[in-house]
Amino acid sequence: MILPPQTPTARDVVLIGGGHAHVQVLRAFAMRPMPGVRVTLLASPSHTPYSGMLPGYIAGHHGYDEVHIDLRQLAQRCGARFIGDEAVGLDQDTRHVHCARYPDIRYDVLSINIGSSPNLGGVPGASSHAIAVKPIAAFNQAWQRMLATLPAMAAPGPITVVGGGAGGVELVLAMAHRLRHERERAGHNPQDLRFALVTSSDSVLPTHNARVRSTLTHILQQQGIALHTAAAVTQVQPDHLQLSNGTTLPSVHTLWATQAVAAPWLQHTHLALDEQGFIQVQPTLQTLNDERVFAVGDVASLVTQPLAKAGVFAVRMGQPLARNLQRVLQGKKPQPYRPQTQWLALLGTGPRHAVASRGRWFAQGAWVWHWKVWLDRRFMRRFTHMPAMGKAPSKPLPETASHPTLAPHEQAALAQAQAMRCGGCAAKVGADILSRALHGLQPVARPEVLAGLDQADDAAVLALPAQQVWVQSVDFFRAFTDDPFVLGQVAANHALGDLYAMGATPHSAQAIVTLPPGLPEPTEDTLRLLMHGALQVLNQAHCTLVGGHTAEGVEVGIGFVVNGTLPSANATGMRQNALQPGQALVLTKPLGTGVLWAAHGLGQGVGRWLDEALDCMRLSNQQASAICRSMGATACTDVTGFGLLGHAHQMAQASRQRVAIWMNQVPALSGALECFEQGLHSSLQPANERRVTAWAIDQALPKAYLQLGLDPQTAGGLLASVPAGQAAACVLALRHAGYTQAAIVGEVLAPQAGAPLLQVGQR
Ligand SMILES: Cc1cc2nc3c(=O)[nH]c(=O)nc-3n(C[C@H](O)[C@H](O)[C@H](O)COP(=O)(O)OP(=O)(O)OC[C@H]3O[C@@H](n4cnc5c(N)ncnc54)[C@H](O)[C@@H]3O)c2cc1C
């Protein structure tokens, strides 16, 4: 078989952090795609705040989604790969980023835009008793707790913000405005809430002009916010602060918005850093001692001109960074970035009012606020209302085209990878790529493996464990995500689901992988990540990988043959054909993975919905299987391609019983029902829907519920029939074990001549 040629990945651009500059880089690469260049965004969490709108969010003028950029979705729309993890280190020699949970990520060109955090170090008690305003996600959680408790509390303790820069001043004014408003709404005296601002400078906003400083000082006084200037915090206790001027300031909630420090992990890289630990960059935004690495925003320290740690610079660096990354990839000289000497700051004061500051210029009023909102929303619209741009064209480069960034031997390899491909054994991935990618994989040891992955042979040799029978299953699917590590994890989990549904114990597995043709390094990298993800899951299940096969294909695909065991004395395990009338049906995981990934593919998903869906897909059915069995489950299946209803029907048919499913009791992943209501569905859904005619459907059932029941699942939960008297205890045990949305979703009914096997309704 001859496969069509594709544009292989020739260069990897990795962006660490979803800061203000990198979101623009994603957009720029989508608008000016470079064939053969793969862009990866490594960021955590998947929603990043736009700093300009944060005070408005805290003050209650904007909602969460208005002030956050959904990085997972933006990357998808821009045709970039998204990896939801944190960088924790760098190997500049081998060009790999070390991650907190993910295997190393290879890069050709790297850019770092990870912001900064307030300096909690050096002041005793600060890291234990103060809440840093960054990272914003952690701060937001603390803020939500304050919002939920303080407005109605009989005696709310005093609140202090430490730091008199723009961030600290805006924060204290926004918090005071919102909390007092909420307290009034809760029927309490808003003035019970006491606020203070502490700064070691002689005045607030020391870098702004005199009118800005005096106006904000006056506004703080008007709002009853106690201002402590020229006072450094020397100690933080749970209920008070010790100040350098001898004052003991009562403070139960202490927020930290002081001068920024850089991430500690940068110290362990070979990048040149300034005294505060920020990455030193040249005007081209390349780091001083490694031209393959760029740094921007708060984390960068421009050696030719010190810049304030303000979002405005991170925003302004976005375009020059994108241009320079592309120039470097094209083998051209990067151009210098020229920062402005003065910049406009628009400072919110709590209500819909703001102060403008630029050099010696000052203005204030409601109109400044509305201007600020207009500017901020215009910026955000570029990332929230962006059409899906897709990936770089996948047509082959013209024969005469040369890739300016590739060495001659790489040009040759690229041309070979792009040439018409042969099938059969000629479509095997090269042995050198295989051996490098699989190097270091360590499957769990099993005494029954007589010849496995560590011995080069034609086949694996396994001894049958004593008193056991084999249970075997195979699964394979195309990539639903362009994150190979996650794909490997989910595919392995999905394959093991069949064993758990049978009540079997996983034993061994063989992998089958397809990879599109490409240059050796990116191909090797994809295979390495796929297999690391898969092995992590297989090893946790004590399932040993004994072999596999890797072939070229039009796209990434992965599957497994999995072997499990059951004691010969109880070789029936849990089967689909063992439903008994009167039993309750328990579902262990929520539904919706099919529609959520379909929405994501169309650029219409929401990052946090997908994060939740991924966590669910990675959740093993191992414990669920054991719990259901211990509660007397006789029949079980894992919910996959046919959807809950299709699988329930299959069980009813095999058992010659009838089944009722109560769709309003079926748990749904966040966003799944919304997606159906918007008319979205997985491409397999229509095939599943064709089976509905044979079922009894409650006509009052909302359409989205029915669609949820037909949604094909990847690595879905178990549907198990347990004795009715055990069902509540079973659900409780499941929830306790981490299947937090497990539920009783139906019952097994006695057979009745002529009646449909499946009743779909509500309870
Ligand atoms: C309350 C408050 C209000 C502010 N208001 C303004 C304002 O109105 N105007 C203004 O100009 N500035 C303002 N600032 C300052 C502004 O927030 C920062 O200067 C700005 O956010 C820096 O942008 P950045 O792109 O460098 O990084 P960030 O915006 O901090 O983005 C960094 C991103 O990288 C992610 N990340 C961090 N570490 C890692 C890692 N190791 N691996 C992967 N991802 C990582 C983070 O989660 C984040 O998504 C304010 C600050 C505060 C605290």
Side-chain angles (χ1 to χ4, degrees):
M1 180 187 165
I2 304 296
L3 301 174
Q6 300 281 314
T7 306
T9 297
R11 284 288 177 256
D12 268 306
V13 176
V14 174
L15 310 174
I16 305 180
H20 297 62
H22 279 176
V23 292
Q24 297 178 77
V25 171
L26 288 177
R27 222 173 163 268
F29 270 82
M31 295 173 94
R32 294 189 302 274
M34 297 181 75
V37 173
R38 174 170 63 179
V39 179
T40 299
L41 176 65
L42 169 67
S44 177
S46 59
H47 292 249
T48 198
Y50 173 46
S51 58
M53 295 181 92
L54 265 181
Y57 166 69
I58 291 163
H61 306 311
H62 310 304
Y64 181 91
D65 283 329
E66 271 179 289
V67 308
H68 284 81
I69 298 171
D70 182 341
L71 297 172
R72 186 184 282 283
Q73 212 48 50
L74 179 67
Q76 163 72 11
R77 287 184 186 154
C78 293
R81 184 165 70 145
F82 177 80
I83 292 176
D85 199 359
E86 273 175 50
V88 294
L90 202 59
D91 183 336
Q92 289 156 258
D93 296 332
T94 63
R95 284 182 275 124
H96 279 89
V97 180
H98 305 313
C99 305
R101 297 175 298 278
Y102 206 89
D104 293 356
I105 299 171
R106 202 191 70 83
Y107 65 86
D108 293 294
V109 184
L110 181 73
S111 175
I112 305 176
N113 181 196
I114 57 173
S116 58
S117 323
N119 189 359
L120 283 166
V123 179
S127 42
S128 323
H129 308 304
I131 302 161
V133 292
K134 286 182 122 193
I136 298 289
F139 167 73
N140 192 36
Q141 281 176 3
W143 169 237
Q144 293 306 323
R145 279 196 298 277
M146 289 172 78
L147 258 185
T149 53
L150 295 190
M153 210 176 248
I159 301 161
T160 307
V161 172
V162 181
V169 171
E170 283 194 284
L171 182 67
V172 75
L173 287 167
M175 289 176 74
H177 176 78
R178 178 74 182 277
L179 286 173
R180 285 179 174 153
H181 173 72
E182 296 296 336
R183 191 157 173 89
E184 197 163 13
R185 281 204 332 168
H188 295 274
N189 181 2
Q191 299 312 319
D192 290 345
L193 285 165
R194 283 166 297 141
F195 291 88
L197 182 72
V198 179
T199 174
S200 56
S201 306
D202 292 340
S203 79
V204 291
L205 301 161
T207 58
H208 292 257
N209 67 53
R211 284 201 64 193
V212 172
R213 293 199 300 270
S214 64
T215 303
L216 263 310
T217 305
H218 179 65
I219 291 173
L220 288 165
Q221 277 163 357
Q222 263 187 338
Q223 297 300 321
I225 296 168
L227 180 59
H228 300 263
T229 53
V233 176
T234 54
Q235 196 175 44
V236 184
Q237 292 290 339
D239 58 353
H240 71 270
L241 303 177
Q242 205 59 56
L243 306 188
S244 57
N245 59 10
T247 307
T248 301
L249 184 67
S251 178
V252 172
H253 307 278
T254 302
L255 291 308
W256 212 257
T258 61
Q259 268 173 349
V261 285
W265 65 265
L266 296 172
Q267 302 281 350
H268 306 292
T269 65
H270 296 300
L271 296 172
L273 306 179
D274 71 8
E275 281 172 5
Q276 280 80 43
F278 294 106
I279 305 169
Q280 291 186 297
V281 295
Q282 318 170 34
T284 57
L285 303 174
Q286 286 164 301
T287 58
L288 272 197
N289 57 355
D290 188 343
E291 295 200 334
R292 286 173 179 272
V293 181
F294 290 71
V296 280
D298 276 11
V299 78
S301 169
L302 187 62
V303 287
T304 49
Q305 183 181 337
L307 300 175
K309 301 293 179 203
V312 62
F313 289 108
V315 169
R316 291 291 178 93
M317 288 177 185
Q319 287 308 321
L321 172 66
R323 207 170 35 243
N324 280 348
L325 288 171
Q326 295 208 331
R327 288 183 72 85
V328 166
L329 287 162
Q330 288 161 346
K332 295 183 186 161
K333 230 173 131 213
Q335 294 171 335
Y337 148 76
R338 291 195 179 82
Q340 66 264 52
T341 46
Q342 290 187 344
W343 72 95
L344 176 67
L346 299 170
L347 307 167
T349 61
R352 293 177 200 274
H353 172 275
V355 170
S357 162
R358 186 172 198 276
R360 294 166 59 156
W361 183 68
F362 157 89
Q364 65 166 320
W367 69 270
V368 180
W369 164 262
H370 290 294
W371 181 32
K372 172 179 170 59
V373 171
W374 181 79
L375 288 171
D376 289 342
R377 290 205 169 128
R378 189 179 62 165
F379 177 80
M380 288 297 282
R381 260 199 305 276
R382 297 169 62 198
F383 309 103
T384 52
H385 289 66
M386 194 187 156
M389 317 282 280
K391 307 212 181 286
S394 69
K395 61 180 193 243
L397 298 172
E399 262 176 42
T400 50
S402 63
H403 206 295
T405 62
L406 298 182
H409 72 279
E410 290 176 314
Q411 297 270 9
L414 183 63
Q416 197 188 356
Q418 283 185 276
M420 297 299 273
R421 315 296 299 170
C422 295
C425 274
K428 273 172 89 155
V429 167
D432 49 342
I433 293 182
L434 262 182
S435 69
R436 282 197 305 268
L438 302 183
H439 178 75
L441 282 187
Q442 291 201 322
V444 285
R446 281 268 190 186
E448 303 83 10
V449 180
L450 307 179
L453 204 60
D454 54 343
Q455 294 163 45
D457 221 316
D458 293 322
V461 183
L462 303 176
L464 182 62
Q467 315 289 319
Q468 304 279 312
V469 293
W470 283 125
V471 181
Q472 194 177 64
S473 175
V474 61
D475 262 305
F476 183 88
F477 53 66
R478 325 166 30 203
F480 65 90
T481 164
D482 50 12
D483 179 338
F485 182 67
V486 165
L487 179 62
Q489 288 177 315
V490 172
N493 205 22
H494 182 90
L496 291 173
D498 283 332
L499 298 183
Y500 293 131
M502 301 287 289
T505 304
H507 180 279
S508 44
Q510 296 235 25
I512 178 132
V513 173
T514 58
L515 294 171
L519 282 177
E521 280 197 10
T523 305
E524 178 188 323
D525 196 48
T526 302
L527 183 57
R528 182 178 60 85
L529 292 173
L530 269 173
M531 292 318 299
H532 269 86
L535 207 71
Q536 192 186 69
V537 169
L538 293 174
N539 281 356
Q540 269 164 14
H542 209 62
C543 182
T544 182
L545 186 72
V546 290
H549 179 81
T550 309
E552 278 183 359
V554 281
E555 59 188 352
V556 176
I558 181 166
F560 297 89
V561 170
V562 284
N563 302 312
T565 57
L566 272 173
S568 331
N570 180 20
T572 48
M574 294 188 289
R575 306 290 277 271
Q576 293 199 19
N577 64 2
L579 293 176
Q580 295 168 10
Q583 284 182 320
L585 291 171
V586 170
L587 178 67
T588 63
K589 291 192 200 178
L591 304 181
T593 61
V595 72
L596 287 170
W597 285 99
H600 181 55
L602 294 167
Q604 292 183 42
V606 171
R608 58 180 177 278
W609 294 348
L610 294 155
D611 293 346
E612 185 191 325
L614 274 180
D615 286 345
C616 183
M617 290 156 91
R618 284 185 289 212
L619 180 64
S620 164
N621 284 328
Q622 185 166 26
Q623 282 200 67
S625 169
I627 291 169
C628 292
R629 280 202 93 177
S630 71
M631 294 284 172
T634 53
C636 186
T637 192
D638 61 329
V639 179
T640 53
F642 299 151
L644 171 70
L645 297 177
H647 287 286
H649 179 256
Q650 215 173 28
M651 289 175 92
Q653 211 167 26
S655 305
R656 297 170 193 271
Q657 306 289 348
R658 287 186 306 129
V659 160
I661 298 286
W662 311 314
M663 279 310 303
N664 60 336
Q665 302 296 319
V666 171
L669 285 165
S670 302
L673 291 169
E674 284 96 319
C675 287
F676 286 123
E677 276 153 14
Q678 284 170 32
L680 303 169
H681 58 73
S682 141
S683 56
L684 190 58
Q685 180 105 1
N688 287 351
E689 281 178 7
R690 283 197 280 279
R691 310 180 71 187
V692 169
T693 47
W695 304 338
I697 310 284
D698 174 357
Q699 292 309 308
L701 185 70
K703 192 172 170 214
Y705 281 16
L706 180 60
Q707 287 177 307
L708 182 70
L710 296 164
D711 187 53
Q713 302 304 291
T714 300
L718 299 180
L719 178 67
S721 69
V722 296
Q726 291 292 319
C730 181
V731 166
L732 209 64
L734 285 165
R735 290 189 179 177
H736 193 67
Y739 305 90
T740 54
Q741 297 192 60
I744 302 169
V745 298
E747 62 183 333
V748 183
L749 305 170
Q752 194 180 329
L757 290 181
L758 185 63
Q759 284 181 15
V760 185
Q762 307 183 64
R763 188 183 213 190

